Amino acid sequence: ARSAGWARRERRERTGRVMLRTAVASAAFALVALASAAWLTHDFRTWTQEAARRYEVAQAPVPAPAVEMLVPGVGQRALVDLLAADGAVTLVDFVYTDCRSVCAALGTAFQQLQARIRAGEAEATGAARAPVRLLSISFDPARDDVATLARYASALNARADTWRFATVADARRLEPLLRRFRVVVIPDGLGGFEHNAALLVVDQRGRLVRIFDYDRIDDALGFARAIAERGADGRGGVDG
């Protein structure tokens, strides 16, 4: 009887030790998973790649790359110079002229932005004038040459002093430009592209400082104007 009791106790103790090891291992795994999730989601602030892109840009502004652009009515010009023109803050989108889906929505958004920018500047004078400009960059340089972009701009009633179009002068520089501005473009197999559409705010120093959904034009314009006003009164850009 004593042997049977001892055997039962031994089994219970062995089972307890196994359960304890399992519990410790599970806890360790949970802690590792928690730490990994915190790292991958920026301390749980984001859960998607797009949200992570926006969070990273907001935390650390991204300088525009050194790339030459072709601009209707201007010719070839460095992107940083194009963004610095007039000391303006620039709202940038990435499009291609043969797009029939999200680019059309972006075009409409930029038409609305153009009207609001021009109306706001008509009411402002002198030091109160804090310029905001629009720039649409085509990621399809093979089809979107200067003449095509000029026709596209005309069809959208783009005013060159407010809204310009451009594409890279050297197609080999397109990929570094897209990477720098966190733009993802994937061929759709039908001659078009799938891409993440957004309104990018670039400050007077040529740095990408914020990303907004393309349907948040009021927020994007308000933020751009706030930065422009800070620059106009000598306080610098988004972190000045």
Side-chain angles (χ1 to χ4, degrees):
R2 283 198 297 270
S3 295
W6 180 85
R8 285 195 295 272
R9 285 196 300 273
E10 179 65 21
R11 283 197 298 271
R12 285 197 298 270
E13 291 175 1
R14 187 163 53 245
T15 299
R17 288 194 295 270
V18 170
M19 292 178 66
L20 179 61
R21 286 197 297 268
T22 301
V24 170
S26 297
F29 177 80
L31 287 172
V32 170
L34 187 66
S36 298
W39 179 75
L40 289 170
T41 62
H42 300 288
D43 292 332
F44 305 103
R45 293 183 179 90
T46 68
W47 281 105
T48 68
Q49 183 177 0
E50 180 64 15
R53 169 178 85 130
R54 300 181 184 202
Y55 175 77
E56 289 167 359
V57 167
Q59 294 298 111
V62 179
V67 56
E68 292 292 315
M69 310 297 291
L70 296 176
V71 186
V74 175
Q76 184 166 324
R77 195 168 182 186
L79 176 60
V80 289
D81 294 336
L82 195 60
L83 292 169
D86 300 328
V89 174
T90 308
L91 292 171
V92 179
D93 68 350
F94 282 79
V95 300
Y96 69 108
T97 63
D98 200 41
C99 179
R100 298 291 181 266
S101 56
V102 70
C103 298
L106 282 168
T108 300
F110 264 42
Q111 285 176 314
Q112 295 176 42
L113 284 166
Q114 176 178 246
R116 296 179 191 187
I117 289 168
R118 296 183 70 82
E121 292 187 355
E123 297 172 359
T125 58
R129 184 175 178 272
V132 176
R133 296 290 175 260
L134 305 174
L135 177 63
S136 293
I137 299 177
S138 170
F139 50 74
D140 188 13
R143 289 181 289 190
D144 291 342
D145 56 16
V146 170
T148 300
L149 289 176
R151 289 193 297 271
Y152 191 65
S154 178
L156 291 174
N157 296 312
R159 299 287 295 270
D161 58 348
T162 303
W163 182 6
R164 289 200 178 276
F165 289 75
T167 191
V168 291
D170 182 349
R172 293 173 298 181
R173 298 297 301 158
L174 176 62
E175 206 50 48
L177 171 60
L178 296 178
R179 281 200 306 271
R180 181 67 64 87
F181 277 178
R182 307 326 198 244
V183 177
V184 178
V185 177
I186 303 172
D188 63 7
L190 301 172
F193 301 93
E194 296 290 341
H195 63 103
N196 51 344
L199 304 175
L200 313 183
V201 183
V202 180
D203 69 9
Q204 302 97 322
R205 294 153 64 181
R207 305 175 308 159
L208 173 60
V209 294
R210 204 67 96 244
I211 301 174
F212 291 90
D213 288 332
Y214 65 84
D215 59 352
R216 292 179 59 194
I217 62 174
D218 291 329
D219 294 335
L221 181 56
F223 186 81
R225 280 177 168 160
I227 298 174
E229 288 166 4
R230 287 171 63 87
D233 66 14
R235 288 183 291 165
V238 71
D239 58 0

